[in-house]
Amino acid sequence: MTGSVDNTPAVRAPSIVGPPSLVELAATTLRRMIIGGDLLCGQRIVENRLTRELGISRPPLREALRVLEREGLVRQVPRKGVIVTPLTLHDIYEICTLRAEFEHLAVRLGVPVREAARMRRCQQALQRMSEAAEIGDQAQFLECSFAFHVAVVGLSGHQRLEEAYRSLQLQLMLSMALNRKARQDRESLGQDVARHQRLLEIIDAGDPEAVLAELAAHGDRTFLDGIETKVDGHTDEALQWLRRQRQAQEDT
């Protein structure tokens, strides 16, 4: 009697996650430089300088730049190489309005919160924000703030929504970097933490309409102060939206 043939497809064991690769570390560092305002919109990425400063060779640097290109933070330009993504006022209008729609959808799907782990993720991000604020680490604070907002959208349990929002939130932080000083002059890190704490308390109460009302007033619009003098692309839609944002800021 011949033995039966096992036609069950082989299952590959998942790989063990190791420490961050050079590509991941380079991408993280470059992302921090961009959203922190060290590399500004339209600025050319000088590979020779970055390989020296980061202590890596060109291949991992170029792969890290491809990661940031997929995130919308940099782009390839013929005869210029890689530049930080330039933004127009219309771009900022699109980023902010689409972000608001994503947040609204996330609230509709995720509030009241159905899984405690999702809420803990928000609380942990807020705690890290508070710790960064206490020591005055602006770069770390920005990263924690980013993680908090992504975690809030993650309350929806909708992975594709969270991934789309993550990319858009990075682009928003890129636009905020254009006018970082205006924000710092208007709100301290501690005040920023308190604003996010209030939002999380309202989320925890479980009323989606209250969360949406808080989100409408929550958004920090100070980065829009004088933004039209820093960017081009003044379309009618963008200018009308900017006037509405400033009116809303005066009313709150």
Side-chain angles (χ1 to χ4, degrees), residues 32 141 175 193 250:
R32 179 179 289 189
F141 184 86
S175 65
V193 171
E250 292 176 4

Side-chain angles (χ1 to χ4, degrees), residues 91-102:
D91 291 328
I92 295 170
Y93 150 73
E94 288 191 352
I95 290 166
C96 291
T97 51
L98 185 55
R99 174 182 182 260
E101 292 300 317
F102 283 174

Side-chain angles (χ1 to χ4, degrees), residues 41-246:
C41 291
Q43 187 171 341
R44 182 170 171 265
I45 304 293
V46 182
E47 290 188 5
N48 286 339
R49 179 172 67 84
L50 286 175
T51 54
R52 290 195 305 271
E53 291 181 358
L54 300 180
I56 61 174
S57 61
R58 285 198 174 194
L61 175 62
R62 288 178 174 173
E63 184 58 36
L65 289 172
R66 282 192 282 271
V67 171
L68 298 188
E69 186 174 17
R70 290 193 292 272
E71 295 175 344
L73 294 179
V74 302
R75 68 174 53 165
Q76 294 273 354
V77 178
R79 296 183 297 279
K80 290 187 68 174
V82 181
I83 65 171
V84 179
T85 301
L87 294 175
T88 66
L89 186 61
H90 192 84
D91 291 328
I92 295 170
Y93 150 73
E94 288 191 352
I95 290 166
C96 291
T97 51
L98 185 55
R99 174 182 182 260
E101 292 300 317
F102 283 174
E103 288 179 336
H104 283 203
L105 177 57
V107 169
R108 296 295 186 193
L109 294 173
V111 179
V113 180
R114 293 183 296 278
E115 293 188 17
R118 296 175 186 172
M119 194 65 176
R120 281 197 301 271
R121 180 184 173 194
C122 296
Q123 293 165 339
Q124 289 165 357
L126 183 65
Q127 178 60 33
R128 290 192 292 270
M129 283 180 66
S130 181
E131 292 167 357
E134 287 178 5
I135 62 176
D137 189 333
Q138 179 76 31
Q140 183 66 24
F141 184 86
L142 290 172
E143 290 181 4
C144 296
S145 175
F146 170 78
F148 175 87
H149 283 277
V150 174
V152 167
V153 171
L155 293 171
S156 65
H158 195 302
Q159 188 62 38
R160 285 175 173 80
L161 173 60
E162 182 177 333
E163 290 172 356
Y165 179 85
R166 182 183 184 280
S167 176
L168 201 65
Q169 179 69 3
L170 281 172
Q171 293 172 52
L172 177 69
M173 296 183 79
L174 173 60
S175 65
M176 287 181 172
L178 287 167
N179 213 5
R180 183 73 63 202
K181 188 175 186 304
R183 299 188 66 210
Q184 293 170 344
D185 290 345
R186 292 280 292 274
E187 183 180 57
S188 69
L189 296 184
Q191 290 170 323
D192 201 344
V193 171
R195 187 160 51 83
H196 288 77
Q197 176 68 51
R198 184 169 60 252
L199 173 62
L200 196 56
E201 289 170 356
I202 295 172
I203 290 172
D204 195 35
D207 181 354
E209 295 303 326
V211 175
L212 291 174
E214 177 62 21
L215 278 172
H218 169 86
D220 179 19
R221 303 177 181 90
T222 54
F223 80 98
L224 295 173
D225 293 351
I227 194 68
E228 67 272 31
T229 67
K230 301 178 183 296
V231 295
D232 298 321
H234 297 178
T235 62
D236 289 340
E237 297 95 332
L239 289 170
Q240 291 173 13
W241 166 80
L242 185 59
R243 283 193 289 269
R244 290 194 298 271
Q245 297 305 300
R246 288 179 175 160

